[in-house]
Amino acid sequence: HTAPKGDIFWANIYRDSILEPLCFPDDSAPSAPSHSSAGSEPLPCVFCPESVPSLDKDVLLKHMLMQHKLVIADVRLIADLPKYLSYWKGRFLEQPITEFCSVIRTNSTGPVEKQEEYFLLCDVLSEDRTLRENLQQKRLEDVLDQQQREREDCSFQRLCMFCSEEFTGNRSTLLNHMAKEHAFSIGLPDNIVYCNQFLDTLQSKVDNLQCLYCEKSFRDKTTLKDHMRKKAHRRINASNHQYDRFYIINYLELGKSWEEVQSEDDRELLEDEDDDWSDWEAHPVSAVCLFCHHQSENMDLIHTHMKETHGFDLHQLKAELSLSFYQQVKLVNFIRRQIHQSRCYGCSQSFDSPADVLLHINAEDHVMKLPDTSAWDQPQYYFPTYENDGLLCSLSDSEENDGNRTAHGEDVPVLAEDVSNLREIRQTSVLKQLLKRS
């Protein structure tokens, strides 16, 4: 974008942009556990000399998206991001980016000067998948070596955080003591890695008078102890992914919980059986309301809930505005992002929290008020605000719009011609919700 006005427009977009899909409050999908040396190795841009500290990952992702139009799928699942970026930096010097990336073209039916191409790098490409798996395997080997050293270490010395009794020798003596004497267990010693850092994290919370389970703060240690005892909160919060890096199970296969890994133990046996799926039951997709945490596996019920409880009728908006499937996708992602960023989607007024936004929307009757189409009918809203957003699965073109969808000048994503396996992209890409109807 060479025009100053265009620069201002894109600067406003990326100032508070969301570079990866968010998770709904009850979503427990794990990410790649951070390594003990995280933050020490800089992250290089794959196209230019720009680099940032590891803790500023989002700054680099924003730079590559805005300056180079590159989107990397599932960044949170990459085991070693610095090495991943360095690898592709070298490969992009050897061959054009179009040899590796899928191309998404916006405004494909509009004037050429308004068309833009974005590049998607994901593990649909076998080279990318192999790289991710090798990095994951190397991380697992390093973690297993660290765990073995801790298991054999006899120089362990630490006070119990509950009774101040000192333990020396092996870490298992302290962990078994806390489980037996204080009914506080963080798991079997052999399942834990970076034990001292784990205990430091827990000790810090206790020192700050914070409950280890509900993570509420209290005025003194006596009140905290009574709370944890009466509420049976003598355990850690499993939904807090800060603890993921301390459990070996989270390094086995990134992006999967231990339950999923365990359920695959008999995969080879199942592959030998006849393909009789007569009793197979799929897990239904659950959609979450745009305005609250209510969810339902029945898409009609979730639309009815939003209409009757919040006064929001998506079907009515689709009919009145003649919205195509892709416009509905962008509208849903736009509303979700505005509420997440504590901003009214109708008038753009900002608030201190999403709860304040919802109070304002109801009080000012802005539930069905939409801004000008140009505010939300933007390429950035092709990307889901929340991953696994079941509400997107309920969207569809109306019958009368099926035949003249392109008559409205709709921006339809176009994949590069070198992408041959569309089915695999639909199943694995971050754009699977958006491409399923292409």
Side-chain angles (χ1 to χ4, degrees):
H1 302 274
T2 56
K5 183 176 180 181
D7 289 337
I8 295 173
F9 171 75
W10 283 103
N12 288 336
I13 286 180
Y14 292 111
R15 179 180 56 201
D16 55 0
S17 58
I18 298 174
L19 300 174
E20 295 181 78
L22 303 170
C23 292
F24 287 113
D26 59 343
D27 196 321
S28 58
S31 59
S34 55
H35 196 257
S36 58
S37 59
S40 60
E41 193 172 352
L43 301 175
C45 174
V46 297
F47 295 105
C48 68
E50 183 81 15
S51 65
V52 301
S54 292
L55 296 178
D56 293 331
K57 177 189 70 174
D58 285 350
V59 174
L60 181 66
L61 296 179
K62 185 181 296 185
H63 162 81
M64 290 192 295
L65 181 61
M66 185 165 71
Q67 299 297 328
H68 306 293
K69 302 294 188 291
L70 177 69
V71 177
I72 300 177
D74 298 321
V75 175
R76 65 187 181 86
L77 298 182
I78 298 175
D80 193 329
L81 187 57
K83 286 186 173 57
Y84 178 88
L85 295 173
S86 296
Y87 176 88
W88 283 115
K89 187 179 183 73
R91 292 292 281 138
F92 290 160
L93 291 175
E94 298 171 356
Q95 293 178 264
I97 186 175
T98 50
E99 293 294 317
F100 308 104
C101 295
S102 303
V103 179
I104 301 173
R105 186 179 300 120
T106 63
N107 296 315
S108 59
T109 60
V112 176
E113 62 272 14
K114 291 187 177 182
Q115 294 182 7
E116 290 186 296
E117 289 187 344
Y118 289 81
F119 304 96
L120 175 65
L121 181 61
C122 64
D123 60 5
V124 169
L125 179 71
S126 60
E127 183 177 351
D128 184 87
R129 183 170 185 82
T130 299
L131 173 61
R132 293 178 186 236
E133 290 175 348
N134 289 341
L135 293 175
Q136 177 185 325
Q137 182 64 29
K138 180 62 168 62
R139 173 63 55 83
L140 177 59
E141 292 172 357
D142 291 344
V143 169
L144 290 176
D145 288 343
Q146 172 67 24
Q147 187 206 36
Q148 186 62 29
R149 287 193 295 271
E150 293 181 15
R151 293 174 64 182
E152 298 173 351
D153 180 25
C154 294
S155 61
F156 180 86
Q157 183 176 2
R158 196 176 187 99
L159 298 177
C160 171
M161 69 180 73
F162 299 110
C163 67
S164 298
E165 181 178 347
E166 184 177 17
F167 291 84
T168 59
N170 190 278
R171 58 182 186 165
S172 61
T173 57
L174 172 57
L175 299 183
N176 291 334
H177 162 80
M178 290 194 299
K180 182 179 180 180
E181 300 299 330
H182 304 290
F184 180 81
S185 175
I186 56 176
L188 296 176
D190 286 346
N191 294 337
I192 293 173
V193 67
Y194 305 122
C195 184
N196 270 320
Q197 296 177 33
F198 194 178
L199 294 173
D200 286 342
T201 301
L202 298 177
Q203 185 69 59
S204 176
K205 290 182 179 292
V206 172
D207 291 343
N208 289 323
L209 306 178
Q210 189 176 17
C211 175
L212 297 176
Y213 179 72
C214 67
E215 301 182 341
K216 293 180 180 179
S217 297
F218 296 86
R219 64 176 182 272
D220 54 52
K221 282 193 174 182
T222 301
T223 307
L224 171 61
K225 290 173 64 176
D226 288 343
H227 163 81
M228 293 180 65
R229 177 177 57 83
K230 293 178 180 179
K231 297 291 185 179
H233 283 188
R234 291 191 173 185
R235 59 190 188 278
I236 63 173
N237 185 352
S239 63
N240 186 339
H241 295 301
Q242 178 186 12
Y243 302 126
D244 287 354
R245 63 184 300 265
F246 301 120
Y247 291 93
I248 286 292
I249 193 69
N250 291 311
Y251 294 89
L252 294 181
E253 188 167 356
L254 300 184
K256 290 191 175 183
S257 63
W258 67 269
E259 294 97 334
E260 291 175 302
V261 174
Q262 188 180 51
S263 68
E264 295 176 351
D265 289 345
D266 59 347
R267 175 182 295 170
E268 293 184 0
L269 293 175
L270 293 177
E271 288 177 349
D272 293 334
E273 296 179 357
D274 294 334
D275 294 335
D276 180 9
W277 290 27
S278 59
D279 60 347
W280 181 79
E281 293 183 5
H283 294 287
V285 176
S286 183
V288 179
C289 173
L290 287 170
F291 306 99
C292 68
H293 295 166
H294 177 79
Q295 56 183 292
S296 174
E297 296 172 356
N298 185 306
M299 298 303 165
D300 291 334
L301 290 180
I302 200 68
H303 283 280
T304 300
H305 162 82
M306 291 192 293
K307 181 179 179 180
E308 295 181 351
T309 305
H310 305 287
F312 182 83
D313 192 340
L314 184 58
H315 295 314
Q316 178 182 331
L317 290 175
K318 181 179 73 170
E320 291 178 351
L321 302 177
S322 299
L323 300 180
S324 70
F325 169 74
Y326 292 107
Q327 287 177 314
Q328 294 173 67
V329 166
K330 288 186 280 189
L331 179 59
V332 168
N333 289 329
F334 169 77
I335 292 176
R336 287 213 190 276
R337 187 178 304 186
Q338 297 303 300
I339 293 177
H340 168 75
Q341 293 173 339
S342 304
R343 188 163 47 232
C344 174
Y345 57 83
C347 66
S348 299
Q349 184 175 346
S350 296
F351 295 86
D352 293 333
S353 68
D356 292 336
V357 174
L358 297 177
L359 290 175
H360 160 82
I361 289 174
N362 290 327
E364 300 297 326
D365 197 23
H366 284 183
V367 176
M368 292 289 285
K369 178 181 179 181
L370 296 182
D372 186 78
T373 305
S374 60
W376 55 266
D377 197 0
Q378 298 290 340
Q380 61 173 317
Y381 297 116
Y382 278 128
F383 298 91
T385 300
Y386 289 90
E387 61 182 3
N388 302 322
D389 190 347
L391 188 58
L392 297 176
C393 297
S394 70
L395 306 179
S396 63
D397 283 318
S398 57
E399 294 180 359
E400 61 271 21
N401 285 340
D402 284 343
N404 61 352
R405 188 183 314 165
T406 57
H408 299 286
E410 175 55 33
D411 307 336
V412 179
V414 177
L415 294 176
E417 293 180 357
D418 60 339
V419 178
S420 59
N421 195 339
L422 183 57
R423 176 177 296 179
E424 188 172 5
I425 290 179
R426 286 172 172 169
Q427 294 174 347
T428 62
S429 169
V430 292
L431 300 177
K432 60 184 178 183
Q433 297 287 358
L434 305 181
L435 298 177
K436 65 182 293 185
R437 298 182 58 87
S438 63

